[in-house]
Every structure is written in C-alpha cells, then in structure tokens.
Amino acid sequence: MTVQYRYIVYEPSKAFASQFCFSVMECKRNSVIALYLAGKSQPAIVRELSHLKVNEMFVYHTIKRYNDTGSIAKRYGGGPKKTTKTPEMVRKVKARLERNPRRSGRKMAKELKISQDSIRRILKNELKVNFPIEQFINTQNDRVYLNERSYENWSLRMATGSNFPSQVMIWAAVTADGRSPIVFIEPGVKVSATYYRENVLEAALEPWTRKHSGRRPWTFPQDSAPSHKARVNQEWLKNHVPHFISSTQWLSKSPDANPMDYSI
C-alpha cells in the first residue's frame, strides 16, 4: 500500500485483496475514487494507476457510477439490453399480418409498444415478408406484407392502373383546427403567377383566413412552385399574411415538408 496526497492507492495483490477488498476489481475502483476525491482529473488518474492497468473507460465508468449512486458497488441490470425481437413478439407480429396483410408497420409498433425499427427488423429478418408494391394511393404508406408468393395472394400483389386517367387540380389550406374551401382549377389552365394570386391567394386564402383565424397569428407555408415563388406573389404574402415561409427558406426537393402533398 502506497500513501500519496492523503489518499490510498491499493495494490491488487492477492494477499492485499483478501485483506482489504473483496476482489482485485474492487481495489481498482477504490483507488480510482480515492484519486478522484483528491481532485485528480481522469487522465491523471489513468497515469497514476498505470501499474494497475486501468484504462480511460474504466476510470470514466467508475466515477460515473460513484456520482450516480454514491457507491462503487455493482449496479444490477447491466449486460446486454433486452431485445424486443423475442419469439413471442415475432408471433404477435405474424398474427397481425395474417389477419390483415395491409396493416402498417407504424400501427403495429404503436400497438405492441416497440419501435418502428424493431418492427422492420422482425419483418425483414425474422418473417422475411417485406414486399412493398407500387400503388396509386400513397407509396409511402401503402404496403402489403406477405410470407410467400402464390395464386391465393395474387390480388394483393397486383396493383392496377390506367393510362392517361382523368385529372383534376385543386387547392386547399388546412390548419390544426380547420380547413379552407376547395378551389378547383379550371381544366387546361396553366397556373401562372397572376392566376395563382387572383384565384387562390386573393379569392380564397385571404377571406378564409380572415374569417377563420381572426387576429390569431398564423404562418402560411407553400412549396417553391414557379407561381408560388414568383416575386409579385412573395411580395403579396409579405404584405397580407402575418408570417410565411419564403421561397428562399423552402428546401428544394422536400415534398415531405408539405403536408398537403405528402400526407393529406
């Protein structure tokens, strides 16, 4: 035993360990805490205990344990984290898919109280059933999970569509507590800056927000379509709405930032 700076540094010999400590590891932890309480930094502790083969991680975790619990005693519950990918969880996921192959992974994760990453790992690695298919509804959310390809599930694996379907262009605004009337764009009309300002901003957005929001502050986001980011329309928004996200603030190629395009 060596005495320095009024603290004790333990030598982890078997005789010493049996006399003063339950184990060599406990002697190392005691030495670390003694130096720590004497005001030594962690790098200094590593240097002074080099003869004990103490590394930086050992010092860090020992001091953290001491600060968290006031002791160097082993905290129970350590070791590998319990995984959610248990046979029971795999069976639960499989049972849900058998009842409804279109059930979303996000919904299953919420029902089973596990992360979406865990659901994806179970689907891909355990059940091997992740087969996203092309759909005309929403390719981000519409998926079918099947464990095999057969004639029985052919209808689930086939997505139909038509060439040159009829289309209609509309405009609408939504808030957390309401929605605007829908504006139908006339067929064949190219939405220019002037058309957008006169038929959408002035004729629809301004009167609806005045009635719906009153004096409450609100922010108007829109993407960077040519008619949206036109200088005259950016100036109009600056003068007629409380706040808006300008075209210079809008990130390019980010449809997920527009709930009307991405979700609704």
Side-chain angles (χ1 to χ4, degrees):
M1 182 174 67
T2 305
V3 179
Q4 298 178 352
Y5 305 103
R6 296 182 181 178
Y7 56 81
I8 298 176
V9 178
Y10 298 103
E11 297 287 354
S13 63
K14 292 184 179 179
F16 182 86
S18 63
Q19 183 177 0
F20 294 98
C21 307
F22 291 108
S23 67
V24 173
M25 190 63 68
E26 184 179 348
C27 292
K28 291 183 178 182
R29 294 194 180 102
N30 284 334
S31 300
V32 169
I33 298 305
L35 292 169
Y36 172 67
L37 295 178
K40 292 291 184 178
S41 66
Q42 294 187 28
I45 295 174
V46 174
R47 288 194 298 271
E48 295 203 24
L49 298 181
S50 60
H51 60 290
L52 301 183
K53 298 182 180 179
V54 169
N55 58 38
E56 295 178 0
M57 291 301 296
F58 179 85
V59 171
Y60 168 79
H61 287 297
T62 300
I63 293 175
K64 187 177 187 302
R65 178 186 298 178
Y66 178 81
N67 289 331
D68 290 345
T69 66
S71 170
I72 63 169
K74 177 178 176 60
R75 287 187 289 188
Y76 293 96
K81 298 295 183 182
K82 184 179 180 181
T83 177
T84 57
K85 199 174 62 176
T86 61
E88 178 63 23
M89 188 61 67
V90 173
R91 284 194 295 270
K92 290 181 179 179
V93 173
K94 183 177 180 181
R96 279 169 167 75
L97 291 180
E98 288 175 347
R99 291 195 298 269
N100 180 11
R102 292 185 181 273
R103 186 184 297 268
S104 71
R106 180 170 58 182
K107 186 174 181 180
M108 284 191 290
K110 185 176 181 180
E111 292 172 349
L112 297 173
K113 295 181 173 57
I114 61 177
S115 69
Q116 294 185 49
D117 288 338
S118 296
I119 284 289
R120 282 192 287 268
R121 283 193 291 268
I122 291 174
L123 292 172
K124 180 179 179 180
N125 301 329
E126 303 301 319
L127 299 179
K128 303 184 186 303
V129 296
N130 194 358
F131 297 106
I133 64 174
E134 183 180 357
Q135 286 288 334
F136 54 87
I137 302 175
N138 188 333
T139 56
Q140 295 295 328
N141 300 323
D142 197 4
R143 289 178 170 81
V144 177
Y145 297 100
L146 304 172
N147 54 13
E148 64 178 353
R149 294 173 180 265
S150 64
Y151 287 107
E152 285 75 13
N153 58 41
W154 174 256
S155 62
L156 295 174
R157 294 190 288 113
M158 180 175 63
T160 60
S162 60
N163 291 330
F164 311 110
S166 300
Q167 295 182 354
V168 60
M169 183 182 296
I170 65 170
W171 176 93
V174 294
T175 69
D177 57 358
R179 59 179 174 82
S180 74
I182 294 177
V183 177
F184 288 89
I185 308 301
E186 298 173 13
V189 170
K190 182 179 180 180
V191 181
S192 63
T194 302
Y195 185 95
Y196 177 67
R197 184 179 67 258
E198 294 177 351
N199 294 274
V200 174
L201 298 179
E202 295 176 349
L205 177 67
E206 187 174 25
W208 177 73
T209 53
R210 187 186 303 115
K211 178 180 178 181
H212 179 76
S213 300
R215 296 182 177 275
R216 294 183 299 168
W218 53 277
T219 299
F220 181 61
Q222 60 180 0
D223 58 26
S224 295
S227 60
H228 297 174
K229 68 179 182 180
R231 182 180 56 82
V232 292
N233 290 341
Q234 294 286 296
E235 288 294 327
W236 188 95
L237 290 170
K238 186 184 300 183
N239 297 325
H240 290 81
V241 305
H243 308 283
F244 78 101
I245 298 176
S246 68
S247 59
T248 58
Q249 296 171 311
W250 188 267
L251 299 176
S252 63
K253 299 180 181 178
S254 56
D256 55 315
N258 189 337
M260 289 294 287
D261 289 345
Y262 185 73
S263 178
I264 297 175

